[in-house]
Structure formats: C-alpha cells, structure tokens
Amino acid sequence: RLEGEKNSTVSSQSDSGAIMVPEEKEKLTERIQDLEKEQDSNIDSISELSRKLEVAENNCTEYAEKCKRLIELNQKQKEEIMRLWDDDANKEKVNNGSNG
C-alpha cells in the first residue's frame, strides 16, 4: 500500500535524477515564470535607463558647448571693455595735453 501511494505521487524525474511530486514541480514552474517576468521587467527598466542616460549625456555635451561659447563671449566682452577704457584714457590724455 505505501509503495502504491508513493508511486501515485511521482510525476517526473529531473535531469539530476531527483524525483519531484506534482505540487513541487508546479511551484517551481510558477517561480521560474515569475523570475522570467521579473527579468523581462528589469531588461525593460535597463533599456529605459540607458535611453535616459543617453539623453542626459547629450544634454551635458550641449550645455558644455553653450558654456564654452558663453565663456568665450564673456572674454571678448572683457577685452572690448578694456580696449574702450584704454581708448577713453588715451583721449583724456590727448585732451588734457592739448588744453594744458
């Protein structure tokens, strides 16, 4: 009788030779399916994060180029201001010299 009950619960034998009962096999199958779904979700998340990272990198590059242009423009403006101050100072010298 015990031998008959034992045989009725045997459903399959895994590659390792271990005997599995239907309930264990079903639980393992469900767990595998859950893990596969989770893996798919993780892959989707990674893909989305990769796209966001690419956009962020492009934005950083664009902002760095804008900053560089602004720094160059600022430098040119400083040089122009210094030149104008020098021109103004030279005019003052000339005017003061001709009036003196």
Side-chain angles (χ1 to χ4, degrees), residues 6-84:
K6 183 178 178 186
N7 287 339
S8 68
T9 61
V10 173
S11 68
S12 67
Q13 195 166 354
S14 69
D15 293 339
S16 66
I19 297 172
M20 295 175 59
V21 293
E23 295 82 17
E24 290 173 332
K25 185 175 181 181
E26 188 177 327
K27 285 180 184 178
L28 286 175
T29 301
E30 288 175 7
R31 180 66 178 141
I32 289 169
Q33 290 171 345
D34 289 345
L35 289 172
E36 287 172 341
K37 287 178 189 174
E38 190 176 329
Q39 186 178 35
D40 289 344
S41 176
N42 288 342
I43 289 169
D44 291 344
S45 295
I46 289 168
S47 296
E48 183 181 343
L49 289 172
S50 292
R51 285 190 297 273
K52 288 181 178 182
L53 177 60
E54 187 176 344
V55 168
E57 288 173 340
N58 290 339
N59 286 342
C60 286
T61 300
E62 183 180 326
Y63 294 143
E65 289 170 1
K66 285 181 181 179
C67 286
K68 184 178 174 183
R69 286 194 301 269
L70 286 172
I71 290 168
E72 290 169 354
L73 179 61
N74 189 19
Q75 186 60 36
K76 287 178 184 177
Q77 289 173 337
K78 281 182 182 178
E79 291 169 3
E80 179 69 9
I81 289 169
M82 294 304 291
R83 189 185 60 74
L84 291 172

